[in-house]
Amino acid sequence: MKVSDYIVDFCIKKGVTDVFGYPGGMVTHLMDSFSKYAERIQAHVCYHEQAASFEACAYAQASNKIGVAYATSGPGATNMITGICNAYFDSAPVIFITGQVNTFESKAAYGVRQRGFQETDIVAMVKDVTKYAVYVESPDKIADYLEKAYQTAMSGRRGPVLLDIPMDVQRADIEIRETPYMQEGSVQTDFSEIIDRIQKAKKPCVILGAALKGKEKSQLQEFVEQLGIPVVTSMIAVDLLPYGHPLNFGYIGAYGTRKANFVVAKSDFLLILGSRMDVRQVGGKRGSFAPNATIVRVDIDENELEYQIRSGEIDIHADVWDVIKFLKDNYKEKADKYAEWKRVCNIISEKLSGIDDKEYNFFVDRISQYIPDNLVITTDVGQNQVWVAQSYRVRRGQKILFSGGHGAMGYSLPAAIGAYYADRNPVISFNGDGGIQMNLQELAFIQREKLPVKIFVFNNYALGMIRHFQEMYFENNYYQTVHGKGYEAPDFEQIARAYEIPYIGYESVEEVSDQFMQLEGPVFVEIKLRNATHVFPKLEFGKENQDQEPLIDRELYNYLMELDTMESSQKMNWGGGYEQLVQ
């Protein structure tokens, strides 16, 4: 069997239905092989290799299967690196296949910079942002390398792998044989200590991380309701529980919801399931995060557990779903055990309700009410991302995909394409006017295939997140971020027309309707935000998480920090000027 045919057949056997790439000289054999199997697997031409890599990431994240992206050697391969990083930091299982010059053209041991045209050592470049990267030096290695790549990407903490395959290797013939199965290292299986710690706590809280994404959410919701304990999430995991769930108190961190940060600050026990707990989540003073809480962290990645929040935490190397199953089978406390603590959390939520809402939050809220169950939503990076995390009303079965750890502008539009091919349902893509221009060319893909991607652009005529920094730290020196200072956004209505995509423009929340869902195929919706926009609340570096900017009234702050489980019922009617503060 020809090696390139074997690669395509391998993808099909692993359940892959769609792959993403861009034509190039060193992948012509692979392209030809995809054409032979077109009834069983589709190879989609994007318009930039970075976009192909994002498409494969989102396909993997939305389908829970392996993603596949390919590119030619040299610039094709290097253009994929941003997407490779994205997959690595957000644990997306993707096989990246790069073509390479023929083995007889390779510089090999020569000291020259390059021997073959477009020759670049991509394996050396990505070794620190992949779980496995290998140069396929001979045809007889492809079966072992492919199987190892797949198992490595899909096991343990998932992530990207890369196979760099010379052109003469791709066109060679091989004998087909079985390849061995490999499994990552063992993990812990006894979690009795967690139950003991929960039972001793008076104010327990669970933090749900992105490691819980990808499986059936109903199982997670059943687990949360069985525990009966207040829950917060990381920003990337905001879609794990539906909007309005009584145990869901928002997401934590520098841009997190105030109520979530207050709940964590007041807790005496934290069970952290599959969340990295980086600086954006715990704040600049790591040791002051949840200062009165015993911390138990569960993670499949032992390296993450080495980066402790503080000494004395209990670290458990395990699959979070194994821990959830154990607790579901063995935790037998009555659901009302923490009723008083939940009442405190509800008071916090009530007193802080609406305190940070602005026009753009209302736009997200209104739009989300017209989006049906079970669809995928993608966001870009910047203010639009945080507004979606803060204000989107998650419905049953919906998934929100972010570029989390890498924070790559230009993610949302190609991610929406990859997510569409995961289940062939409409996808909602939220963007800023800056981020969408990073991969604007993918509008051609969307129009070509008439994909039902509903594209929203929050146009604030600026790079809003950085403009906000310039207000805070650089005395309003808006260099390179606003109109007339080095940054410009195009006329998006003309852009939509150029790609023959229907356009809708909104300037007020009241104008928003379900029209974007009623129109078939792609729709481009521009939301024009004429005034300066911000992301609030926002944590000033070095402060405690719950004390975010703009600072709330000190009387309200002290009241919430002092609120105790034994006193909550007596303090339900506290006023303290709060209504005037909200007004």
Side-chain angles (χ1 to χ4, degrees), residues 72 94 133 139 175 188 203 208 231 239 262 280 296 329 371 401 417 427 441 492 517 583:
T72 195
V94 181
E175 295 293 329
Q188 188 170 332
K203 297 182 286 186
L208 305 177
V231 168
D239 59 347
F262 268 98
R280 281 287 182 97
V296 175
D329 292 343
I371 299 173
L401 304 184
I417 294 171
V427 181
Q441 75 286 337
F492 285 111
M517 289 304 306
Q583 291 170 3

PDB file of all heavy atoms in Angstrom, residues 72 94 133 139 175 188 203 208 231 239 262 280 296 329 371 401 417 427 441 492 517 583:
ATOM      1  N   THR A  72       2.388  21.860   3.560  1.00  0.00           N
ATOM      2  CA  THR A  72       3.641  21.542   2.888  1.00  0.00           C
ATOM      3  C   THR A  72       4.822  21.985   3.744  1.00  0.00           C
ATOM      4  O   THR A  72       4.657  22.550   4.831  1.00  0.00           O
ATOM      5  CB  THR A  72       3.680  22.199   1.495  1.00  0.00           C
ATOM      6  OG1 THR A  72       4.731  21.612   0.722  1.00  0.00           O
ATOM      7  CG2 THR A  72       3.874  23.701   1.591  1.00  0.00           C
ATOM      8  N   VAL A  94      -4.593  16.679  18.209  1.00  0.00           N
ATOM      9  CA  VAL A  94      -4.509  16.925  16.770  1.00  0.00           C
ATOM     10  C   VAL A  94      -3.232  16.291  16.219  1.00  0.00           C
ATOM     11  O   VAL A  94      -2.159  16.439  16.819  1.00  0.00           O
ATOM     12  CB  VAL A  94      -4.502  18.438  16.442  1.00  0.00           C
ATOM     13  CG1 VAL A  94      -4.439  18.662  14.934  1.00  0.00           C
ATOM     14  CG2 VAL A  94      -5.729  19.128  17.033  1.00  0.00           C
ATOM     15  N   ALA A 133       6.833  14.623  18.342  1.00  0.00           N
ATOM     16  CA  ALA A 133       7.117  15.131  17.004  1.00  0.00           C
ATOM     17  C   ALA A 133       8.255  14.310  16.420  1.00  0.00           C
ATOM     18  O   ALA A 133       9.281  14.110  17.081  1.00  0.00           O
ATOM     19  CB  ALA A 133       7.488  16.614  17.038  1.00  0.00           C
ATOM     20  N   PRO A 139       9.912   4.637   4.819  1.00  0.00           N
ATOM     21  CA  PRO A 139       8.515   4.195   4.697  1.00  0.00           C
ATOM     22  C   PRO A 139       8.103   3.166   5.736  1.00  0.00           C
ATOM     23  O   PRO A 139       6.967   3.180   6.213  1.00  0.00           O
ATOM     24  CB  PRO A 139       8.452   3.618   3.278  1.00  0.00           C
ATOM     25  CG  PRO A 139       9.579   4.271   2.546  1.00  0.00           C
ATOM     26  CD  PRO A 139      10.659   4.469   3.544  1.00  0.00           C
ATOM     27  N   GLU A 175       4.391  -2.745   3.225  1.00  0.00           N
ATOM     28  CA  GLU A 175       3.564  -3.890   3.603  1.00  0.00           C
ATOM     29  C   GLU A 175       2.711  -3.489   4.804  1.00  0.00           C
ATOM     30  O   GLU A 175       3.213  -2.886   5.756  1.00  0.00           O
ATOM     31  CB  GLU A 175       4.444  -5.084   3.975  1.00  0.00           C
ATOM     32  CG  GLU A 175       5.266  -5.646   2.818  1.00  0.00           C
ATOM     33  CD  GLU A 175       4.392  -6.284   1.765  1.00  0.00           C
ATOM     34  OE1 GLU A 175       3.316  -6.828   2.115  1.00  0.00           O
ATOM     35  OE2 GLU A 175       4.759  -6.218   0.570  1.00  0.00           O
ATOM     36  N   GLN A 188      -3.530   7.516  40.096  1.00  0.00           N
ATOM     37  CA  GLN A 188      -4.114   7.145  41.383  1.00  0.00           C
ATOM     38  C   GLN A 188      -5.565   6.682  41.204  1.00  0.00           C
ATOM     39  O   GLN A 188      -6.283   7.148  40.329  1.00  0.00           O
ATOM     40  CB  GLN A 188      -4.059   8.356  42.316  1.00  0.00           C
ATOM     41  CG  GLN A 188      -4.447   8.079  43.750  1.00  0.00           C
ATOM     42  CD  GLN A 188      -4.136   9.268  44.649  1.00  0.00           C
ATOM     43  OE1 GLN A 188      -3.218  10.034  44.371  1.00  0.00           O
ATOM     44  NE2 GLN A 188      -4.897   9.418  45.729  1.00  0.00           N
ATOM     45  N   LYS A 203     -17.670  25.188  54.486  1.00  0.00           N
ATOM     46  CA  LYS A 203     -17.902  26.052  53.321  1.00  0.00           C
ATOM     47  C   LYS A 203     -17.127  25.520  52.114  1.00  0.00           C
ATOM     48  O   LYS A 203     -16.213  26.169  51.611  1.00  0.00           O
ATOM     49  CB  LYS A 203     -17.489  27.488  53.659  1.00  0.00           C
ATOM     50  CG  LYS A 203     -18.303  28.120  54.786  1.00  0.00           C
ATOM     51  CD  LYS A 203     -17.891  29.560  55.055  1.00  0.00           C
ATOM     52  CE  LYS A 203     -16.557  29.623  55.777  1.00  0.00           C
ATOM     53  NZ  LYS A 203     -16.209  31.019  56.168  1.00  0.00           N
ATOM     54  N   LEU A 208     -14.473  23.653  38.582  1.00  0.00           N
ATOM     55  CA  LEU A 208     -14.496  22.801  37.403  1.00  0.00           C
ATOM     56  C   LEU A 208     -13.608  23.400  36.323  1.00  0.00           C
ATOM     57  O   LEU A 208     -13.749  24.568  35.974  1.00  0.00           O
ATOM     58  CB  LEU A 208     -15.928  22.657  36.871  1.00  0.00           C
ATOM     59  CG  LEU A 208     -16.984  22.163  37.857  1.00  0.00           C
ATOM     60  CD1 LEU A 208     -18.350  22.138  37.184  1.00  0.00           C
ATOM     61  CD2 LEU A 208     -16.625  20.779  38.389  1.00  0.00           C
ATOM     62  N   VAL A 231     -20.438  25.640  43.103  1.00  0.00           N
ATOM     63  CA  VAL A 231     -19.490  25.355  42.034  1.00  0.00           C
ATOM     64  C   VAL A 231     -19.107  26.647  41.338  1.00  0.00           C
ATOM     65  O   VAL A 231     -19.953  27.512  41.088  1.00  0.00           O
ATOM     66  CB  VAL A 231     -20.106  24.372  41.012  1.00  0.00           C
ATOM     67  CG1 VAL A 231     -19.263  24.279  39.756  1.00  0.00           C
ATOM     68  CG2 VAL A 231     -20.281  22.998  41.645  1.00  0.00           C
ATOM     69  N   ASP A 239     -19.047  26.753  30.003  1.00  0.00           N
ATOM     70  CA  ASP A 239     -20.188  26.072  29.370  1.00  0.00           C
ATOM     71  C   ASP A 239     -20.539  24.739  30.009  1.00  0.00           C
ATOM     72  O   ASP A 239     -21.422  24.031  29.529  1.00  0.00           O
ATOM     73  CB  ASP A 239     -19.903  25.855  27.877  1.00  0.00           C
ATOM     74  CG  ASP A 239     -18.651  25.015  27.634  1.00  0.00           C
ATOM     75  OD1 ASP A 239     -17.865  24.811  28.590  1.00  0.00           O
ATOM     76  OD2 ASP A 239     -18.449  24.571  26.487  1.00  0.00           O
ATOM     77  N   PHE A 262     -15.559  35.931  45.205  1.00  0.00           N
ATOM     78  CA  PHE A 262     -15.934  36.045  46.613  1.00  0.00           C
ATOM     79  C   PHE A 262     -16.210  34.675  47.232  1.00  0.00           C
ATOM     80  O   PHE A 262     -15.796  34.387  48.366  1.00  0.00           O
ATOM     81  CB  PHE A 262     -17.157  36.951  46.781  1.00  0.00           C
ATOM     82  CG  PHE A 262     -16.826  38.392  47.030  1.00  0.00           C
ATOM     83  CD1 PHE A 262     -16.850  39.314  45.991  1.00  0.00           C
ATOM     84  CD2 PHE A 262     -16.475  38.837  48.296  1.00  0.00           C
ATOM     85  CE1 PHE A 262     -16.542  40.647  46.209  1.00  0.00           C
ATOM     86  CE2 PHE A 262     -16.169  40.174  48.531  1.00  0.00           C
ATOM     87  CZ  PHE A 262     -16.194  41.089  47.485  1.00  0.00           C
ATOM     88  N   ARG A 280      -3.748  33.971  35.785  1.00  0.00           N
ATOM     89  CA  ARG A 280      -5.030  34.585  35.435  1.00  0.00           C
ATOM     90  C   ARG A 280      -6.164  34.089  36.342  1.00  0.00           C
ATOM     91  O   ARG A 280      -7.171  34.756  36.496  1.00  0.00           O
ATOM     92  CB  ARG A 280      -5.378  34.257  33.982  1.00  0.00           C
ATOM     93  CG  ARG A 280      -4.637  35.104  32.948  1.00  0.00           C
ATOM     94  CD  ARG A 280      -5.185  36.523  32.917  1.00  0.00           C
ATOM     95  NE  ARG A 280      -4.535  37.352  31.920  1.00  0.00           N
ATOM     96  CZ  ARG A 280      -5.007  37.592  30.703  1.00  0.00           C
ATOM     97  NH1 ARG A 280      -6.151  37.025  30.329  1.00  0.00           N
ATOM     98  NH2 ARG A 280      -4.366  38.361  29.864  1.00  0.00           N
ATOM     99  N   VAL A 296      -7.569  20.631  47.481  1.00  0.00           N
ATOM    100  CA  VAL A 296      -7.315  19.337  46.854  1.00  0.00           C
ATOM    101  C   VAL A 296      -7.380  19.538  45.344  1.00  0.00           C
ATOM    102  O   VAL A 296      -8.397  19.992  44.814  1.00  0.00           O
ATOM    103  CB  VAL A 296      -8.340  18.270  47.283  1.00  0.00           C
ATOM    104  CG1 VAL A 296      -8.123  16.974  46.517  1.00  0.00           C
ATOM    105  CG2 VAL A 296      -8.251  18.023  48.782  1.00  0.00           C
ATOM    106  N   ASP A 329     -20.291   7.301  43.437  1.00  0.00           N
ATOM    107  CA  ASP A 329     -20.573   5.977  44.013  1.00  0.00           C
ATOM    108  C   ASP A 329     -20.457   5.965  45.535  1.00  0.00           C
ATOM    109  O   ASP A 329     -21.079   5.113  46.194  1.00  0.00           O
ATOM    110  CB  ASP A 329     -19.612   4.928  43.430  1.00  0.00           C
ATOM    111  CG  ASP A 329     -19.866   4.661  41.963  1.00  0.00           C
ATOM    112  OD1 ASP A 329     -20.954   5.015  41.470  1.00  0.00           O
ATOM    113  OD2 ASP A 329     -18.966   4.115  41.292  1.00  0.00           O
ATOM    114  N   ILE A 371     -30.161  31.552  20.279  1.00  0.00           N
ATOM    115  CA  ILE A 371     -29.333  30.455  19.778  1.00  0.00           C
ATOM    116  C   ILE A 371     -29.858  29.132  20.333  1.00  0.00           C
ATOM    117  O   ILE A 371     -29.943  28.952  21.550  1.00  0.00           O
ATOM    118  CB  ILE A 371     -27.859  30.677  20.164  1.00  0.00           C
ATOM    119  CG1 ILE A 371     -27.360  31.978  19.527  1.00  0.00           C
ATOM    120  CG2 ILE A 371     -27.000  29.505  19.711  1.00  0.00           C
ATOM    121  CD1 ILE A 371     -25.973  32.397  19.972  1.00  0.00           C
ATOM    122  N   LEU A 401     -16.139  27.344  22.579  1.00  0.00           N
ATOM    123  CA  LEU A 401     -14.725  27.071  22.332  1.00  0.00           C
ATOM    124  C   LEU A 401     -13.935  28.369  22.382  1.00  0.00           C
ATOM    125  O   LEU A 401     -14.298  29.363  21.751  1.00  0.00           O
ATOM    126  CB  LEU A 401     -14.534  26.405  20.969  1.00  0.00           C
ATOM    127  CG  LEU A 401     -15.325  25.110  20.709  1.00  0.00           C
ATOM    128  CD1 LEU A 401     -14.935  24.531  19.354  1.00  0.00           C
ATOM    129  CD2 LEU A 401     -15.096  24.088  21.813  1.00  0.00           C
ATOM    130  N   ILE A 417     -15.425  26.921  11.535  1.00  0.00           N
ATOM    131  CA  ILE A 417     -15.429  25.985  10.409  1.00  0.00           C
ATOM    132  C   ILE A 417     -15.155  24.571  10.897  1.00  0.00           C
ATOM    133  O   ILE A 417     -15.876  23.624  10.559  1.00  0.00           O
ATOM    134  CB  ILE A 417     -14.386  26.413   9.356  1.00  0.00           C
ATOM    135  CG1 ILE A 417     -14.786  27.745   8.717  1.00  0.00           C
ATOM    136  CG2 ILE A 417     -14.209  25.336   8.295  1.00  0.00           C
ATOM    137  CD1 ILE A 417     -13.706  28.359   7.830  1.00  0.00           C
ATOM    138  N   VAL A 427     -23.081  27.060  13.528  1.00  0.00           N
ATOM    139  CA  VAL A 427     -22.102  27.489  14.522  1.00  0.00           C
ATOM    140  C   VAL A 427     -22.162  29.003  14.641  1.00  0.00           C
ATOM    141  O   VAL A 427     -22.372  29.711  13.652  1.00  0.00           O
ATOM    142  CB  VAL A 427     -20.674  27.055  14.125  1.00  0.00           C
ATOM    143  CG1 VAL A 427     -19.663  27.498  15.188  1.00  0.00           C
ATOM    144  CG2 VAL A 427     -20.595  25.542  13.922  1.00  0.00           C
ATOM    145  N   GLN A 441      -9.575  35.819   5.584  1.00  0.00           N
ATOM    146  CA  GLN A 441      -9.643  35.092   4.319  1.00  0.00           C
ATOM    147  C   GLN A 441     -10.515  33.842   4.401  1.00  0.00           C
ATOM    148  O   GLN A 441     -10.988  33.346   3.371  1.00  0.00           O
ATOM    149  CB  GLN A 441      -8.238  34.708   3.843  1.00  0.00           C
ATOM    150  CG  GLN A 441      -7.581  33.558   4.594  1.00  0.00           C
ATOM    151  CD  GLN A 441      -7.081  33.897   5.985  1.00  0.00           C
ATOM    152  OE1 GLN A 441      -6.828  35.074   6.260  1.00  0.00           O
ATOM    153  NE2 GLN A 441      -6.937  32.910   6.841  1.00  0.00           N
ATOM    154  N   PHE A 492     -17.020  46.702   7.270  1.00  0.00           N
ATOM    155  CA  PHE A 492     -17.366  45.276   7.288  1.00  0.00           C
ATOM    156  C   PHE A 492     -18.575  44.956   6.414  1.00  0.00           C
ATOM    157  O   PHE A 492     -18.708  43.827   5.938  1.00  0.00           O
ATOM    158  CB  PHE A 492     -17.595  44.811   8.734  1.00  0.00           C
ATOM    159  CG  PHE A 492     -16.318  44.647   9.508  1.00  0.00           C
ATOM    160  CD1 PHE A 492     -16.001  45.510  10.545  1.00  0.00           C
ATOM    161  CD2 PHE A 492     -15.426  43.641   9.192  1.00  0.00           C
ATOM    162  CE1 PHE A 492     -14.822  45.373  11.256  1.00  0.00           C
ATOM    163  CE2 PHE A 492     -14.237  43.486   9.898  1.00  0.00           C
ATOM    164  CZ  PHE A 492     -13.939  44.358  10.924  1.00  0.00           C
ATOM    165  N   MET A 517     -30.565  33.641  12.760  1.00  0.00           N
ATOM    166  CA  MET A 517     -30.789  32.195  12.759  1.00  0.00           C
ATOM    167  C   MET A 517     -31.784  31.780  11.676  1.00  0.00           C
ATOM    168  O   MET A 517     -31.755  30.641  11.214  1.00  0.00           O
ATOM    169  CB  MET A 517     -31.302  31.734  14.126  1.00  0.00           C
ATOM    170  CG  MET A 517     -30.282  31.765  15.241  1.00  0.00           C
ATOM    171  SD  MET A 517     -28.751  30.818  14.938  1.00  0.00           S
ATOM    172  CE  MET A 517     -29.369  29.186  14.536  1.00  0.00           C
ATOM    173  N   GLN A 583     -27.143  52.192  41.058  1.00  0.00           N
ATOM    174  CA  GLN A 583     -27.661  53.259  40.210  1.00  0.00           C
ATOM    175  C   GLN A 583     -26.535  54.138  39.661  1.00  0.00           C
ATOM    176  O   GLN A 583     -26.593  54.588  38.532  1.00  0.00           O
ATOM    177  CB  GLN A 583     -28.665  54.108  40.995  1.00  0.00           C
ATOM    178  CG  GLN A 583     -29.954  53.345  41.316  1.00  0.00           C
ATOM    179  CD  GLN A 583     -30.838  54.091  42.281  1.00  0.00           C
ATOM    180  OE1 GLN A 583     -30.533  55.224  42.684  1.00  0.00           O
ATOM    181  NE2 GLN A 583     -31.946  53.490  42.675  1.00  0.00           N
TER     182      GLN A 583
END
